[in-house]
């Protein structure tokens, strides 16, 4: 089975980052991984959650959601259901953790930055696109905060990018689209810093358990893919 | 007080309609009224709500929502609150009613078309932009349905556009932006067919009750504004 | 189609207002528009919602609800569903807005008056009966507040009444009952001050869009009906 | 401490039952125990809950609620809270159980009768007033069902009334009002059939545990009070 | 019908109390009434609910719940349903009331003790086992509080035990298991102090109303059963 | 920093598995990893979720929850909050996925097995203990299903165990308890089959990103730990 869009196994989909797509947000980016399109907005607010007050440290959190018709068939809104589903919770938590790994909370002071990642269109890899785009929005929000509060130290200690990898018919592939994702035997999401270190490694055997050798090849592929994404982020941030 | 963006009292903001902005939806449009930006997606599904089954007639409904950072300050997601607010309910119902007024349900057969109107950025007039954009998405969804089901009769009996009007310091103005909306004494949303007839008239005295003369001048302004919007819709639909 | 209860087109149903129907509330009225029966209770509380604190101004808000067997077939309680429906939200907001239009919040001081409008029996026009009855309860609550707090200025700047009008087989009719409401082509709720000015105009094309001439005739009918209701309110308030 | 309304210890408050207070319900009664006022509506519907289908037997259930300003200070609506409180649940279940004790479900066929008991004004004893009034509404609903379905056997095997009793300063008293209820050491609600047998006995030591002798005196008082209520029900049902 | 486990009518099931079953709780007990197994945990926290603040008095409350597979068929979790059922509410309230009857709140100071009673396995009598076990956990929590806060007066004024009794084929029986409970004509839960006085008496006619004589025989049985439980509690508390 | 309980870095805590701890469940196990205690219950039900009907295949799912006083400070019940938290959702999904990786759904027929994992006491590693214990309960439930339905093929294709590993002061450690977990720089949960292959690898940089070498050492530790757990499971299952 060749890749549906003709890519080589270690090739990313075309990635586009439109910075400052929103007018009100302190940072924002519309990120596209091929047909996957996620709107990332960073909001800077004074104060921190209750359990963190008085520590002098800031906080970074994230909320992920999907528009009802981002997908092939329409999904019921979580606001209509009256509850947030497990998948949404899981991804929101992953995005928040990933970004917090490169933040020096002391340097932020007691401010909260919230990253809203709303999937406008989904074609696989929404969570990794969200992390990669949210980092760009975060950088702009932190720049805003530094100007506003005259912060001396940069609260960001590194950059973050994320990509999915998977095994299809025994072959490791980078950045799966929806079609590939739904047939992959093993699926892995990897979050890597600009320095090439791991923030999060989440591998799941979708149909068959996988061995160490396969795991290693997936990690290699992911690290290389994230390095490319880091370059794209850098370019977007200097425009 | 002159208009913040230099418009004349009876001038619309620049309106842009990007049709088929989404890949999966049967119809879609990203509509912009100046800085207000609403993504409208139309979904065609077989079947109708329970209370309508067996009638042979279709149904059209709408859901309106706002992304958390569409506005100047971040709002809590309704999915997180676990309930849909009164304003959301009210606008969703208005959009649905407005579109249903130009639909011949018998001609649709037992299908449901759902219009999702998600505000990506808000600067006043989100509900009127939503109605105007949703109509465009609805047309494409109906075309899809006609092709798919080989429908002989056109289920659409007319077109729909909507605009807000208001009184600011005694002066009637067309298509208020957020700044104007927040200081208007009277605020009115008017939904008009392409033939110039009313579907919905909702006028509210925000601070002082208004008399019949003022009401009449606002209706005149709205009808003229909707005629312009109708032309813009037509152009977008023939592209 | 003659009117089911033999009224002329511009005739109200018998209206009865029983003031102080409740013992605990600072103001209350059981209002009847024919078979429609709404219990309106006004509660005076110290303090205002968070966003209004420290302004020195008061607040007026309303909650509308229906008993499960107010209608022909039993409805599920919203408390059992765990959520408030769109219609309830919409009407609660309408009642609150309508009453606020005749309140001088500065003269109230930081107090909140809540109007609870509970429909005990429904036969069309529940929202207009609720507004008309809530005004009476509000007057008594404001009188109580003035006595209690020794307020010099009257916080009420006018009176409010509301009525529904509609087109049935081309004929404009005043104060529709349920049977008429369900067959009306156009349905309009109009809220008018004692001085004959508009607070709210909500017209909806139920089946066919309506033109300006029809709109004008409905407005005429509504203004005349509200003038009658104003007289009935006055009489009830002087008993 | 004499009784606040001058009653003797074993005297009921004035009880009034207004039958058929509602137009749509198959049975209804506005019942008053002094200042306590409960509107009871009985709804007959075809079918039974899922777990009872196919048994050929009917079902009787109840829902109790309080209007927000039934009490001295306004309570938040349970629909607004999004959940039903423990007290509401407990009383709804009690009313349902009490009525089911005199119903022959086989004779009903697969129908459900729902008793809605809405407290319009509260002054102690709302649950016992609700049970006593709900029985009257149930009788009319059962009569309706018998006529409609031509039932040969009477589904009602007896009548039901309920009253509260309590100990105040060592003295047993019948039918406590709110003031008495809030100072009682022991509080008991007793549900009794027209034949003088117990359906439900719920005694609670509010401040001090009570002994067998006191329990016995309370039961005597309650049985006598229910006998009086049974007579009042009978009279109302023959009017 | 003999008892399914061969007991005499006035015989308790084997009762086992494992004190301090939990490591973190200030008091805890795993209590078994035959196959019924309830884990009771007492938590001591500073402060009291809002409505009690500043009184200098403490508070005791309880929450009851059942694991999904405590019963013969799996039940849906209340957290998944998003709401707590009526039965859960009712039992939680009963446990809290029962324990509060033996607490001197002034002697506690402004502390709250919460009793969590989680049914791990259910075979009838879960609420009475919960009350009996919760008392043991409460004693240990109170001992902890006295040591911690150096309280001079014992906040406990007595002990509490509870048991169910019921009529099966005319025969009064003590401590029904699930099988017996489901066929009992009358079912009663009785909460008694160590001194033999009543805290709560809840009798329900499940199928047929019951007379005074039967009620008396059930009360006798329950009082004797609770005396036995009191001895078992004492023994557990001195180990 | 030595291990708080004196273990060597690659040593598990004492593991105890009490099979058939529950009477009603088709399979059950109380598993202890040191002070962590999780009750795992497997329920076999006919039928599968709607989206799987008619496929002839079975389903396995899991629900994880914590008793309120499983932890050092009491947590609010999710049933009381009215919603399930993100952490609960995430772990429930992990347990379900992990077990499904060793199930042949075709061999099961259209049955659902639900694994309820309730944490009675928490001291770190609750999710890995839950997976390890749930596997044991699953085996017994599958044996029950095979007997009941006379299934020829074993629906289980392997065994599953899980363990946490982490880096503390640069040192990789196996099976962290709560104290260690809260100071670990990197935390990883690894799910491994009895054959030593991976089902799930979830590594998170809690404070500092980690490199490939560290990742490799953690994986080695986890694989060895799971092999030991596999032996303990086998022993428990042959008793």
């Amino acid at each position: 089975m060749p890749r549906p869009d003709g890519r080589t196994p270690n090739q990313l989909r075309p990635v586009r980052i439109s910075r400052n797509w929103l007018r009100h947000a302190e940072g924002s980016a519309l990120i596209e991984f091929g047909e996957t399109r996620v709107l990332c907005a960073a909001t800077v607010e004074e104060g921190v959650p209750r359990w963190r007050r008085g520590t002098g440290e800031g906080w970074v959190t994230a909320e992920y959601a999907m528009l009802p018709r981002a997908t092939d068939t329409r999904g019921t809104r979580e606001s209509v259901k009256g509850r947030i589903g497990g998948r949404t919770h899981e991804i929101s938590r992953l995005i928040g953790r990933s970004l917090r790994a490169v933040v020096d909370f002391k340097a932020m002071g007691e401010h909260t930055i919230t990253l809203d990642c709303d999937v406008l269109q989904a074609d696989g890899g929404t969570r990794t696109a969200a992390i990669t785009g949210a980092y760009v929005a975060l950088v702009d929000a932190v720049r805003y905060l530094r100007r506003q509060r005259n912060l001396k130290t940069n609260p960001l200690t590194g950059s973050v990018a994320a990509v999915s990898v998977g095994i299809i018919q025994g072959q490791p592939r980078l950045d799966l689209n929806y079609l590939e994702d739904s047939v992959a035997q093993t699926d892995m999401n990897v979050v890597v810093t600009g320095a090439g270190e791991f923030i999060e490694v989440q591998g799941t055997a979708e149909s068959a358990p996988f061995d160490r050798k396969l795991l290693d090849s997936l990690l290699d592929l992911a690290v290389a893919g994230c390095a490319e994404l880091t370059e794209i982020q850098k370019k977007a941030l200097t425009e």
Side-chain angles (χ1 to χ4, degrees), chain A residues 18-30 38-43 114-118 120 137 140:
Chain A
S18 310
R19 240 169 102 207
N20 298 321
W21 203 80
L22 290 173
R23 176 199 194 195
H24 302 298
E26 284 75 37
S28 68
L30 180 68
V38 185
L39 180 53
C40 305
T43 297
T114 304
L115 279 306
D116 284 294
C117 300
D118 286 89
L120 306 186
D140 277 321

Side-chain angles (χ1 to χ4, degrees), chain A residues 21 52 54 69 114 126 145 190 196 202-203 207 211:
Chain A
W21 203 80
R52 212 172 171 85
R69 198 57 202 281
T114 304
T126 62
L145 182 63
V190 183
Q202 292 201 345
S207 54
D211 63 17

Side-chain angles (χ1 to χ4, degrees), chain A residues 23-229:
Chain A
R23 176 199 194 195
H24 302 298
E26 284 75 37
S28 68
L30 180 68
I31 190 162
E32 296 169 73
F33 276 25
E35 300 271 12
T36 287
R37 214 177 280 174
V38 185
L39 180 53
C40 305
T43 297
V44 176
E45 286 167 310
E46 268 202 74
V48 285
R50 184 178 307 229
W51 50 270
R52 212 172 171 85
R53 280 182 205 154
T55 61
E57 303 192 9
W59 188 240
V60 169
T61 185
E63 291 187 7
Y64 168 97
M66 238 188 220
L67 292 197
R69 198 57 202 281
T71 45
D72 195 44
T73 55
R74 185 176 184 272
T76 305
R77 289 174 192 269
E78 293 185 324
S79 60
V80 169
K81 286 186 202 163
R83 53 179 75 187
I84 290 176
R87 185 182 172 276
T88 299
H89 261 141
E90 198 172 308
I91 300 180
S92 294
R93 286 159 57 89
L94 170 64
I95 301 170
R97 272 201 315 271
S98 296
L99 296 175
R100 285 194 292 272
V102 295
V103 175
D104 173 357
F105 292 118
K106 286 216 175 79
M108 271 180 80
E110 290 203 7
H111 297 91
T112 297
I113 300 180
T114 304
L115 279 306
D116 284 294
C117 300
D118 286 89
V119 179
L120 306 186
Q121 191 164 275
D123 185 31
T126 62
R127 79 187 70 188
T128 52
I131 292 169
T132 307
Y135 171 72
V136 173
L138 176 63
V139 169
D140 277 321
V142 165
R143 286 175 184 172
Y144 167 88
L145 182 63
R146 290 192 73 179
R147 280 194 310 274
Q148 281 284 324
R149 301 290 164 185
N150 218 354
L151 304 180
K152 281 168 207 158
T153 323
N154 186 355
L156 288 174
T157 62
S159 76
V160 185
V163 79
S164 76
V165 286
I167 306 288
I168 291 175
Q169 296 176 327
Q171 186 195 56
R173 290 185 182 177
L174 182 67
D175 187 23
L176 310 184
N177 71 8
Y178 180 72
L179 245 171
E180 294 176 310
D181 193 45
S182 55
V183 299
Q185 297 145 266
T186 298
D187 179 26
M188 186 172 256
N189 290 292
V190 183
V191 187
V192 176
T193 65
E197 291 193 304
F198 296 107
I199 291 176
E200 188 100 15
V201 172
Q202 292 201 345
T204 301
E206 293 294 335
S207 54
F210 53 96
D211 63 17
R212 184 69 167 266
K213 209 180 120 195
L214 224 54
L215 174 60
D216 284 337
S217 70
L218 286 174
L219 289 171
D220 292 341
L221 206 54
V223 168
C226 285
E228 277 190 68
L229 290 169

